[in-house]
Amino acid sequence: MPLPDKFGHFGPFGGRYVPETLMPALFELEEAYRHYKRDKVFKKELDFYFKTYVGRPTPLYPARQLSKKLGGHLKIYLKREDLTHTGAHKINNTIGQVLLAQKMGKKRIIAETGAGQHGVATATAAALLGLECIVYMGAKDTVRQEMNVFRMELLGAKVVPVYSGTQTLKDAINEAIRDWVTNVETTYYVIGSVVGPHPYPMMVRDFQSVIGKETRKQILTAEGRLPDVLIACVGGGSNAMGFFYPFVEDQMVKMIGVEAAGAGLDTDEHSATLTVGEPGVLHGMMTYLLQDKVGQIKGAHSVAPGLDYPGVGPEHAFFKETGRAEYVAVDDKEALSGFKLLSETEGIIPALESAHAVAYLANIAEKLPKGTIVVVNLSGRGDKDVAAVREYLRRKSDD
Amino acid sequence: MTRGAQAVEKAIREANKRGEAALIPFIEGGDPDFAATEDLLWALAEAGADVIELGFPFSDPLADGPIIQEAAQRALRHQPTIDQFLDLIARLRQEGFKVPVVIMGYLNPFFRYGLEAFAQNSHQSGLDGAIIPDLPLEEAKPWLKIARKHRLASILLAAPTTPSERLERIARSSTGFLYYVSITGITGTKEALPEELALKLDLAREVSPVPVAVGFGISKPEQVKALSPHADAIVVGSAIVKLIAEHEGEKSKLPEIVGRFVKELKEATRR
């Protein structure tokens, strides 16, 4: 039976743990989504924007230099989501959801954003489709990522700084949900990852599945067979889920999700939710969380702002539980070497998030048998991180 | 002595028999500190509270406005635990504290504690029930079963967006009372209540087998007076929490200040 079930459950995970005020809106959204998913016109429009606006299909690039550098015994491919419009996979989901919002007759779009990537992608889609857009962003993040604030404003969005709690992504989600509770009749909430209450994890997964579907087709053309290993970074987990999902039934394809170990798993400064977190309920879903012993949510940390979230998509929690995917973590330092490695060997500067996946591949390359086909999902480009990386490297050389 | 769902419902029905709506004041446990909470509970009881809603602070209170968010942040400084809350209730009961108390909190801390253990220990300590705003009907089944077993009030919420057929189903699953959320919004933010509220409450009471309490956005005695004929019980939260925040520095006077306000509210419940 396809998951989630009708309650939005993936085994024990997922669900709809939200205030009653939102329940009718979630039913309405689910019904609209199930309708338009099958609607020929909707599919055609989405396809049109994917091709002509987002730049799909994105290439599957055989990374020969990287393969050589890692021992020469592997066939490494990169799925180039970094080449999409706005520079990351986020746009696949926002075009889909904002198009859906337009069909549902909603005039007002809200979104949360951490580092600003999802906010920019939502503002982009809202500008394209002519809808009002408000983006909630932790006050700390608005300072750290002021260029993205400006980008969103250029695109006509209003950015609202959130001062509650830790003033980061999780609080921006809380505030977006509060806005939605208040303006539920006029407003569409565009969640940025495979998280939140049902139907979001399913819907975002489906919109992002274009990544995995293309990869499947492209690797079959290039190699005549399915890959052995898929590697993707996991924060909320949308790039990984979209990449993995079309391979779920192919048991021989190993799927590895790479979380951020930040300053180390033995510290409080990481975002390795699946690796060391425990089940609980946050933001409308049952999933793995970073929490203390009484169930208060802990702050997350990673050098990659897009991984900096104390929860994770419920379907990933389910994959972990059933063993369908493996979840591991690499720390800030390793991610930085992944960042440099790909820049130097292939001339591709990856997003720090995607650099985690590259770094993990570098860690295990030696152990993989000769001829193994590995595909790494390069979820975004690193332009946004260049200043932060320079700062980080300067500080390290000062130490 | 009766406790649990039965005690909560009885307290409301008794107020109704006296020609009043029941008054349910809310305070956040541990705000500004735990000793103050104990004194405040006594003050609420003396001021005429029929049932008390005691908030368990959570790091991410997504149904709450700034006033209760800040109260939660103040309370979290003391790293509260559920056992600490239950111990307080047990002690109060031994000291003769009779007013039913229900805990209001987001699911995760209870889930983490274990729902079965929480219900059992609540029953033993004399806590009468729980309101869990992020646990709607579809996800509530396991909790409803456990709460029933331990005779606790499992209070569900209905909102202005809830269709009538659904409201009826929610009311039938709710024990103690049904919590009707007056506005589409979060706690303590809107000044005016919707015009159709009285009508919606009348309709809810027609189909609900348990008393109907109204809350969210009710801050003034005038509003209490206007709503009393249409609700079995009235919840006032943010207005009280705000008062506590304003007088955080004068802890010894808090019970008196809060007590005076709650008394005023209680007087306004007379129909």
Side-chain angles (χ1 to χ4, degrees), chain B residues 249-267:
Chain B
E250 358 170 25
K251 237 177 276 169
S252 58
K253 286 191 201 149
L254 267 182
E256 192 201 324
I257 294 165
V258 170
R260 204 182 311 138
F261 179 56
V262 171
K263 215 166 173 179
E264 240 181 281
L265 295 171
K266 182 60 217 175
E267 273 158 22

Side-chain angles (χ1 to χ4, degrees), chain A residues 350-366:
Chain A
L352 276 173
E353 292 78 9
S354 324
H356 282 72
V358 176
Y360 186 71
L361 170 60
N363 284 351
I364 61 163
E366 209 185 339

Side-chain angles (χ1 to χ4, degrees), chain A residues 7 9 15-24 27 164-165 170-171 174-175 177-178 181-182 184-185 278-284 286 289 291-297, chain B residues 56-64 69 73 76 80-81 107-109 111-112 133-139 157-163 166 170 181 183-186 190:
Chain A
F7 295 102
H9 292 153
R16 279 175 294 225
Y17 294 87
V18 295
E20 169 61 22
T21 312
L22 292 181
M23 288 301 282
F27 295 138
S164 59
K170 81 176 174 69
D171 309 285
N174 292 338
E175 208 54 35
I177 293 176
R178 289 178 189 123
V181 171
T182 309
V184 61
E185 269 140 33
E278 285 177 79
V281 172
L282 179 71
H283 295 149
M286 176 83 69
L289 302 174
Q291 53 183 321
D292 67 15
K293 59 183 192 306
V294 297
Q296 306 292 350
I297 307 306
Chain B
F56 185 79
F58 183 50
S59 52
D60 296 81
L62 51 74
D64 285 304
Q69 286 174 41
Q73 287 299 322
L76 284 171
T81 65
L107 179 60
N108 199 49
F111 176 76
R112 185 98 173 122
D134 55 349
L135 193 63
L137 184 63
E138 282 70 12
E139 304 293 350
L157 294 92
T161 50
T162 310
R166 179 175 170 82
I170 294 172
V181 176
I183 51 167
T184 51
I186 50 178
K190 289 191 183 171

Side-chain angles (χ1 to χ4, degrees), chain B residues 37-257:
Chain B
T37 297
E38 184 166 353
D39 294 342
L40 282 167
L41 287 171
W42 282 109
L44 296 176
E46 273 158 35
D50 297 289
V51 175
I52 293 170
E53 202 183 311
L54 181 62
F56 185 79
F58 183 50
S59 52
D60 296 81
L62 51 74
D64 285 304
I67 294 171
I68 294 179
Q69 286 174 41
E70 282 158 22
Q73 287 299 322
R74 287 193 296 273
L76 284 171
R77 289 186 308 220
H78 310 297
Q79 299 182 307
T81 65
I82 286 174
D83 278 332
Q84 190 184 12
F85 273 56
L86 296 182
D87 290 347
L88 171 65
I89 301 294
R91 200 165 67 242
L92 289 173
R93 293 295 180 220
Q94 275 168 8
E95 290 166 12
F97 193 94
K98 293 201 179 61
V99 180
V101 178
V102 295
I103 200 164
M104 186 313 232
Y106 293 84
L107 179 60
N108 199 49
F110 304 124
F111 176 76
R112 185 98 173 122
Y113 188 92
L115 294 179
E116 179 73 44
F118 168 66
Q120 191 175 349
N121 295 346
S122 294
H123 176 80
Q124 275 165 8
S125 69
L127 180 74
D128 299 288
I131 304 169
I132 307 175
D134 55 349
L135 193 63
L137 184 63
E138 282 70 12
E139 304 293 350
K141 298 230 164 79
W143 165 242
L144 293 175
K145 205 171 148 202
I146 290 166
R148 188 147 304 179
K149 183 171 139 199
H150 296 281
R151 286 183 236 121
L152 291 179
S154 50
I155 297 143
L156 297 178
L157 294 92
T161 50
T162 310
S164 54
E165 170 274 337
R166 179 175 170 82
L167 185 139
E168 196 169 336
R169 276 191 291 135
I170 294 172
R172 284 183 195 289
S173 297
S174 198
T175 61
F177 61 88
L178 170 72
Y179 192 134
Y180 187 86
V181 176
S182 66
I183 51 167
T184 51
I186 50 178
T187 57
T189 46
K190 289 191 183 171
E191 280 290 306
L193 292 168
E195 270 174 37
E196 68 282 7
L197 179 59
L199 180 67
K200 287 215 169 180
L201 285 170
D202 292 342
L203 292 174
R205 283 162 90 199
E206 259 172 52
V207 297
S208 176
V210 288
V212 175
V214 59
F216 277 47
I218 301 165
S219 58
K220 300 184 193 86
E222 303 88 84
Q223 292 171 318
V224 172
K225 190 144 195 76
L227 286 175
S228 284
H230 303 283
D232 300 306
I234 295 172
V235 182
V236 179
S238 296
I240 296 171
V241 174
K242 193 172 161 212
L243 205 56
I244 294 170
E246 284 165 1
H247 297 86
E248 198 193 343
E250 358 170 25
K251 237 177 276 169
S252 58
K253 286 191 201 149
L254 267 182
E256 192 201 324
I257 294 165

Side-chain angles (χ1 to χ4, degrees), chain A residues 204-222:
Chain A
V204 178
R205 172 197 76 195
D206 292 352
F207 286 133
Q208 291 293 4
S209 286
V210 67
I211 305 172
K213 281 183 200 151
E214 287 175 7
T215 304
R216 209 166 192 288
K217 220 187 252 172
Q218 291 164 323
I219 197 76
L220 285 174
T221 306

Side-chain angles (χ1 to χ4, degrees), chain A residues 10-227:
Chain A
F10 303 91
F13 303 107
R16 279 175 294 225
Y17 294 87
V18 295
E20 169 61 22
T21 312
L22 292 181
M23 288 301 282
L26 292 175
F27 295 138
E28 181 199 355
L29 175 59
E30 186 183 350
E31 204 187 306
Y33 174 63
R34 288 194 192 277
H35 170 79
Y36 284 108
K37 197 172 127 173
R38 276 182 240 105
D39 183 75
K40 278 200 188 111
V41 179
F42 182 86
K43 286 204 288 198
K44 226 172 132 183
E45 277 179 68
L46 185 61
D47 195 50
F48 168 80
Y49 287 120
F50 274 180
K51 279 198 180 116
T52 60
Y53 188 77
V54 175
R56 306 212 69 91
T58 58
L60 183 71
Y61 167 68
R64 298 206 181 90
Q65 302 309 313
L66 180 65
S67 302
K68 210 161 129 193
K69 178 87 182 172
L70 294 179
H73 60 303
L74 305 175
K75 287 182 171 173
I76 300 170
Y77 287 84
L78 303 175
K79 179 60 175 164
R80 299 292 307 273
E81 292 301 294
D82 59 317
L83 293 177
T84 54
H85 178 45
T86 72
H89 71 290
K90 294 284 183 192
I91 191 85
N92 302 329
N93 168 45
T94 61
I95 294 276
Q97 284 202 56
V98 175
L99 196 57
L100 180 63
Q102 195 191 43
K103 301 282 175 208
M104 289 173 73
K106 307 279 180 184
K107 304 264 180 270
R108 185 173 175 270
I109 298 292
I110 58 170
E112 84 292 341
T113 196
Q117 295 310 109
H118 172 59
V120 168
T122 306
T124 300
L128 173 69
L129 296 170
L131 299 178
E132 182 192 358
C133 179
I134 292 118
V135 180
Y136 290 95
M137 187 169 185
K140 276 189 195 158
D141 291 332
T142 60
V143 177
R144 286 192 288 209
Q145 307 286 339
E146 56 173 343
M147 283 313 284
N148 270 342
V149 174
F150 183 61
R151 252 179 216 122
M152 287 183 266
E153 286 168 352
L154 269 180
L155 293 160
K158 187 178 158 209
V159 179
V160 181
V162 175
Y163 292 96
S164 59
T166 57
Q167 306 189 5
T168 60
L169 176 60
K170 81 176 174 69
D171 309 285
I173 297 180
N174 292 338
E175 208 54 35
I177 293 176
R178 289 178 189 123
D179 178 314
W180 200 29
V181 171
T182 309
N183 303 296
V184 61
E185 269 140 33
T186 58
T187 298
Y188 184 101
Y189 177 22
V190 181
I191 292 187
S193 190
V194 286
V195 301
H198 180 62
Y200 285 102
M202 167 181 84
M203 192 166 68
V204 178
R205 172 197 76 195
D206 292 352
F207 286 133
Q208 291 293 4
S209 286
V210 67
I211 305 172
K213 281 183 200 151
E214 287 175 7
T215 304
R216 209 166 192 288
K217 220 187 252 172
Q218 291 164 323
I219 197 76
L220 285 174
T221 306
E223 292 288 343
R225 68 172 180 98
L226 292 175

